[in-house]
Amino acid sequence: MSTRGVVYVHSSPSAVCPHVEWAISGTLGVRVELQWTAQPAAPGQLRAECDWRAPAGMAGKLAGALKAWPMIRFEVTEEPSPGVDGQRICYAPGLGLWHARTSANGDIVVGEDQLRSLVSRSRAGEQLAHKLDELLGASWDEALEPFRHAGDGAPVTWLHQVG
């Protein structure tokens, strides 16, 4: 089953950019040449994004390949496909990797078992609110938001996995 998604490299040192392209190329099995532009939110850093089409589950593989460079900031999204939830995976230095399932409209999906576990481990309202923020990736959104806005209007590279 094929799906599509987007890789957002929010910031990367210029010396790491070729490695990012190689990681994406190796994962998708097609040569990738991203259009790198300056990242205003981090002077001296570059940003790029690319759309991709490949089998379901590719977002996790792409994120796994990109996390080899802990100095970059990135997000990988995957649209839902028949019988498979979508995904959103974020990485920010100091926070590490965060992953969530997404619905057709892009909302984070929180499962019943996740909620039951969260409620059973929380002793007070403030602790519950903090754990919900963790589950929804609030720290990653806070860390990445300045980089997202700084990339508005940047060029996009379109990719399709071969085979």
Side-chain angles (χ1 to χ4, degrees):
M1 188 62 60
S2 183
T3 189
R4 61 186 180 173
V6 181
V7 175
Y8 301 94
V9 181
H10 292 299
S11 68
S12 174
S14 61
V16 178
C17 293
H19 300 282
V20 169
E21 290 182 5
W22 296 332
I24 295 170
S25 296
T27 305
L28 289 174
V30 58
R31 186 164 187 238
V32 173
E33 291 183 40
L34 300 176
Q35 293 181 329
W36 294 95
T37 59
Q39 173 49 275
Q45 300 268 318
L46 299 173
R47 64 161 321 283
E49 60 188 68
C50 60
D51 287 23
W52 56 268
R53 183 177 294 277
M58 185 57 69
K61 293 175 184 176
L62 287 163
L66 291 173
K67 74 176 183 172
W69 294 278
M71 72 289 297
I72 69 173
R73 290 171 180 83
F74 68 84
E75 289 182 80
V76 182
T77 64
E78 179 174 311
E79 292 185 6
S81 53
V84 181
D85 290 328
Q87 299 184 64
R88 183 168 144 225
I89 304 168
C90 301
Y91 182 88
L95 292 174
L97 207 58
W98 172 81
H99 173 264
R101 295 180 301 139
T102 58
S103 65
N105 69 349
D107 285 346
I108 301 301
V109 175
V110 179
E112 178 182 343
D113 289 340
Q114 288 176 288
L115 287 173
R116 288 184 192 281
S117 174
L118 188 108
V119 169
S120 72
R121 292 179 305 170
S122 300
R123 293 173 184 47
E126 187 174 316
Q127 186 180 23
L128 178 62
H130 176 72
K131 291 196 179 292
L132 278 171
D133 277 348
E134 285 179 5
L135 195 60
L136 296 174
S139 295
W140 284 263
D141 281 339
E142 185 178 321
L144 295 175
E145 197 62 25
F147 296 89
R148 292 173 182 148
H149 285 295
D152 287 347
V156 177
T157 302
W158 295 86
L159 303 174
H160 299 280
Q161 183 182 33
V162 178

